[in-house]
């Protein structure tokens, strides 16, 4: 199975490069559908692409509401706005949830790799009290983790497989719609079209 | 009918003030539900609150996809991240679509006011070719508008009536959940609770 590089991926990598002086350039907004049928939207951090693919990695806590939501409806749309280059990427696709109970050993390896890519300090957030529950105590948790220890049970990897990317450049006022199709041999192919902004 | 000021509104106004040196601080991401049942997410511009209420104003073009989506499902969630103060507001509510055919004259007046609040130059965007359709011509449109003329038919005002606001401050690591209830006399009341981030 060959890999055809997604044509929007280089545009996104260029945007990341030209906005890399801004810490928040790796933040984007992830929209899902809530269990009540209403939209849900929050900022998350881009954790890179999975190897050479166009699949986007996100880390999250299994206890957050988005996990429940994605189990109910696996589709999501990223809105990623680059504040310095004035570029917007709307990336629509399906999300694969990979927690510690995943039966696929290859996926568990990707999860482990994503865990070790995090700084030991940032891994501690997964030991915090249950997100979204009432805050009970001001006392700092006494938490530490062996830097060589694998992912804790709360650590969850999300992999978004993009199906459509709507790119808008507000400086040039150009907009491109990238759409994927699946070829007969299961290869993802991309077409693009210039559309009105 | 009295008005109880929403407790999150002052927090939001403070965030706007402390990030006002950044042009993009008035941009937020608006998630809706697409006609295909998938989430949809895009950046839009904050056009202020409606008078003294906590209702959020957004301008858009009647020809954009979000109008069709909101007619199908009027609920939306704003995710507004302030890049300098590290504050996030997730504002969930119902959107009222006010286009030129609205039968309510009071709402038409709000729409007109929002139109005149825009710069004459920025009003021209509503004369552009149909958004999202294939781009046909590179030639600049010969467009002009009488600055005293009222809103064009493509100009649409959205009013989001917030029902829940999830506030997160990444500098202090504090998170507050604001929830509204409707009192017996139809007054919106807000409660807040500190929850785990």
């Amino acid at each position: 199975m060959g890999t055809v590089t997604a044509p929007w991926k280089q545009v996104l990598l260029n945007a990341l490069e030209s906005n890399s002086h801004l810490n928040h350039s790796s933040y984007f907004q992830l929209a899902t559908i809530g269990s009540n049928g209403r939209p849900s939207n929050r900022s998350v951090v881009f954790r890179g692409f999975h190897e050479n693919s166009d699949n986007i990695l996100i880390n999250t806590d299994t206890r957050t509401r988005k996990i429940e939501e994605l189990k109910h409806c696996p589709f999501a749309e990223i809105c990623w706005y680059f504040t310095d280059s004035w570029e917007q990427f709307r990336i629509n696709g399906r999300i694969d949830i990979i927690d510690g109970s995943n039966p696929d050993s290859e996926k568990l390896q990707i999860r482990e790799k994503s865990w070790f890519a995090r700084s030991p300090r940032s891994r501690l957030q997964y030991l915090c009290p249950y997100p979204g529950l009432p805050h009970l105590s001001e006392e700092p948790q006494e938490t530490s983790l062996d830097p060589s220890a694998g992912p804790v049970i709360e650590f969850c990897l999300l992999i978004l497989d993009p199906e459509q990317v709507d790119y808008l450049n507000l400086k040039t006022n150009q907009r491109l719609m990238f759409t994927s199709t699946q070829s007969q041999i299961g290869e993802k192919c991309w077409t693009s079209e210039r559309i009105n902004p």
Side-chain angles (χ1 to χ4, degrees), chain A:
Chain A
M1 194 168 72
T3 330
V4 181
T5 302
W8 54 267
K9 188 178 170 182
Q10 194 54 51
V11 187
L12 179 59
L13 291 172
N14 293 348
L16 272 165
E17 175 66 26
S18 63
N19 293 267
S20 59
H21 57 292
L22 301 167
N23 279 328
H24 65 259
S25 64
S26 63
Y27 295 9
F28 54 70
Q29 280 67 43
L30 180 76
T32 52
I33 296 185
S35 314
N36 56 4
R38 295 190 184 193
S40 196
N41 205 4
R42 82 286 286 158
S43 304
V44 293
V45 179
F46 175 64
R47 302 287 175 189
F49 288 100
H50 174 46
E51 292 176 349
N52 294 319
S53 75
D54 54 14
N55 288 355
I56 290 171
L57 305 179
I58 299 162
N59 292 168
T60 191
D61 191 305
T62 51
R63 300 169 296 173
T64 58
R65 228 170 40 194
K66 65 176 101 47
I67 298 300
E68 210 48 59
E69 295 178 357
L70 287 166
K71 282 181 180 165
H72 195 251
C73 170
F75 297 103
E77 187 158 282
I78 288 170
C79 181
W80 199 346
Y81 182 68
F82 290 91
T83 56
D84 204 42
S85 63
W86 299 11
E87 292 168 284
Q88 175 181 266
F89 294 81
R90 298 174 60 184
I91 306 172
N92 203 297
R94 175 189 275 268
I95 284 186
D96 195 6
I97 306 169
I98 304 171
D99 62 19
S101 72
N102 202 291
D104 184 332
S105 65
E106 204 180 322
K107 288 181 178 177
L108 285 177
Q109 274 178 14
I110 310 170
R111 172 173 172 266
E112 190 173 80
K113 201 172 164 191
S114 205
W115 169 260
F116 285 116
R118 300 284 297 266
S119 73
R121 199 196 134 116
S122 89
R123 293 175 203 159
L124 293 176
Q125 75 171 85
Y126 294 98
L127 301 181
C128 285
Y130 207 107
L133 288 193
H135 179 79
L136 296 176
S137 162
E138 205 58 67
E139 292 164 45
Q141 305 271 114
E142 278 301 322
T143 50
S144 66
L145 273 174
D146 175 356
S148 65
V152 296
I153 192 121
E154 292 82 3
F155 181 74
C156 186
L157 174 68
L158 303 179
I159 304 186
L160 186 141
D161 184 5
E163 293 181 14
Q164 192 175 60
V165 178
D166 184 344
Y167 168 74
L168 176 65
N169 185 319
L170 287 175
K171 286 191 180 168
T172 63
N173 212 26
Q174 288 202 352
R175 186 176 172 194
L176 291 168
M177 181 67 84
F178 299 92
T179 310
S180 71
T181 49
Q182 207 80 19
S183 78
Q184 285 186 317
I185 55 164
E187 201 174 58
K188 202 203 252 177
C189 296
W190 289 91
T191 57
S192 72
E193 183 179 29
R194 187 160 169 203
I195 59 175
N196 294 323

